[in-house]
Amino acid sequence: MGATKWRIFTIAITGTCKNEGMPELPEVETARRLIADEALHRRIADVDDSDTFVCRPHSPGELRAALTGRTLTAARRRGKSMWCETSEDGPDLGIHLGMGGRILVTSADGRVAEGGGPRRRDAQRHKAEWDRFTLSFADGGSLVLFDQRRLGRVRLNPAIDALGPDAADVTPAEFRGLITRGSVAVKARLLDQSRIAGVGNLLADEILWQARVHPAARTDTLRPADADRLYHALESALKSAIARGGVHTGDVIAARHPGGTCPRCGAEMRHGTVGGRSTWWCSREQALTEGQAPTTVR
């Protein structure tokens, strides 16, 4: 992009494994698809950017001035990062979903469609103050960042250069090289956004469970067969989570609790901390193989 083009971007993540459990790639992809299907090519008549915490460091009115009169022309995503291009070489618009934020798009006839983080069963009734950022369209509809916990963010010009290849697009050869390099715990490598962008804590546990790989196994001890199983598990887990509504729908996720048992073999689920994150694995099928000396598991 030229120097004159601004960029508003979502989910500023640097290359560490300290990402939160939500949102993960499937939730962000759900929001991106919603915007692509429902919000493009509608003229922006007004912008509510008055929430100074969500829109920091921008002052009220700054985003309004940049976006009013334009249209969203495309919705993009890389890993957990999502942005929309705008017309007339205008700024890109990005929205950080936070831990449970959702995108709500209202059509001209009042129909509301939602995408993003999963809807909580115990969710309270919608309150207007939870609408953190709003694009009002000239046709009477809108695009809203709804975020009860106020952990989302709208921001100008964050860099994405630190992000690795998108987890949904990484090739088998790229993945094999990224996943086996170094000697960190394999779960920490999956969570490292500078290596593979888009995998969070729940998705990592699901991938490792599907591949029958212990989360603390060192990356330099993974065999080619291990790397191939992990790649196919990544593909399978992403496809399933996007189709079913989020990473919380994974096959092993409901078993991640004290007393939980493996959905595949019935063995006890084990718990520890790997790469600084709460981690669950099957005590039987994800046992460490000979030579896979574990990194620290607490």
Side-chain angles (χ1 to χ4, degrees):
M1 296 182 183
T4 60
K5 185 161 185 176
W6 297 353
R7 181 179 293 273
I8 307 174
F9 189 78
T10 74
I11 309 181
I13 296 176
T14 55
T16 72
C17 66
K18 296 180 181 179
N19 51 318
E20 297 293 345
M22 292 289 180
E24 302 193 30
L25 186 156
E27 286 76 25
V28 179
E29 176 61 13
T30 299
R32 187 205 66 79
R33 291 183 181 183
L34 171 66
I35 294 171
D37 290 343
E38 302 285 346
L40 300 187
H41 311 299
R42 300 169 68 182
R43 189 171 66 84
I44 300 167
D46 199 4
V47 179
D48 181 356
D49 60 354
S50 58
D51 190 314
T52 56
F53 185 74
V54 171
C55 296
R56 68 191 189 281
H58 310 297
S59 58
E62 187 175 348
L63 301 182
R64 182 175 184 271
L67 297 169
T68 299
R70 303 185 188 277
T71 64
L72 307 181
T73 59
R76 310 292 188 192
R77 183 192 56 74
R78 182 176 178 187
K80 303 179 184 185
S81 300
M82 175 178 63
W83 67 97
C84 297
E85 297 174 0
T86 67
S87 61
E88 302 172 13
D89 199 34
D92 291 354
L93 171 65
I95 304 168
H96 183 335
L97 297 180
M99 286 287 285
R102 295 179 65 78
I103 298 297
L104 282 62
V105 179
T106 304
S107 65
D109 62 7
R111 179 179 55 87
V112 179
E114 300 185 33
R119 181 186 290 277
R120 294 168 52 111
R121 292 181 181 178
D122 60 348
Q124 300 179 41
R125 194 174 207 173
H126 187 120
K127 295 182 180 180
E129 58 263 35
W130 295 339
D131 293 346
R132 307 298 180 182
F133 177 80
T134 301
L135 299 180
S136 297
F137 297 122
D139 61 17
S142 63
L143 182 153
V144 174
L145 169 62
F146 171 79
D147 184 11
Q148 182 177 347
R149 299 179 67 182
R150 207 187 183 200
L151 297 175
R153 191 171 181 186
V154 177
R155 184 172 156 228
L156 287 166
N157 298 327
I160 62 169
D161 294 342
L163 292 174
D166 184 83
D169 297 329
V170 64
T171 68
E174 285 177 324
F175 181 84
R176 192 178 298 113
L178 292 166
I179 204 68
T180 58
R181 194 172 300 155
S183 58
V184 300
V186 62
K187 179 170 180 178
R189 175 56 46 78
L190 284 170
L191 291 173
D192 186 344
Q193 302 302 299
S194 72
R195 300 301 181 101
I196 303 169
V199 178
N201 198 42
L202 295 185
L203 188 58
D205 278 2
E206 178 73 16
I207 292 166
L208 290 160
W209 175 78
Q210 286 193 24
R212 294 176 169 86
V213 173
H214 194 288
R218 292 199 335 262
T219 51
D220 60 353
T221 68
L222 294 175
R223 300 165 299 181
D226 297 324
D228 289 342
R229 289 200 314 276
L230 284 165
Y231 178 77
H232 292 305
L234 171 64
E235 283 191 312
S236 173
L238 283 176
K239 183 177 179 180
S240 175
I242 291 170
R244 293 159 65 177
V247 294
H248 65 290
T249 64
D251 293 338
V252 80
I253 302 307
R256 296 170 76 258
H257 61 82
T261 57
C262 174
R264 197 164 43 216
C265 73
E268 177 188 5
M269 293 293 291
R270 296 278 172 81
H271 178 259
T273 301
V274 179
R277 303 305 303 276
S278 177
T279 302
W280 293 86
W281 65 93
C282 173
S283 58
R284 179 183 299 156
E285 295 186 332
Q286 290 176 264
L288 285 163
T289 62
E290 184 176 356
Q292 286 185 321
T295 57
T296 302
V297 179
R298 298 199 304 273

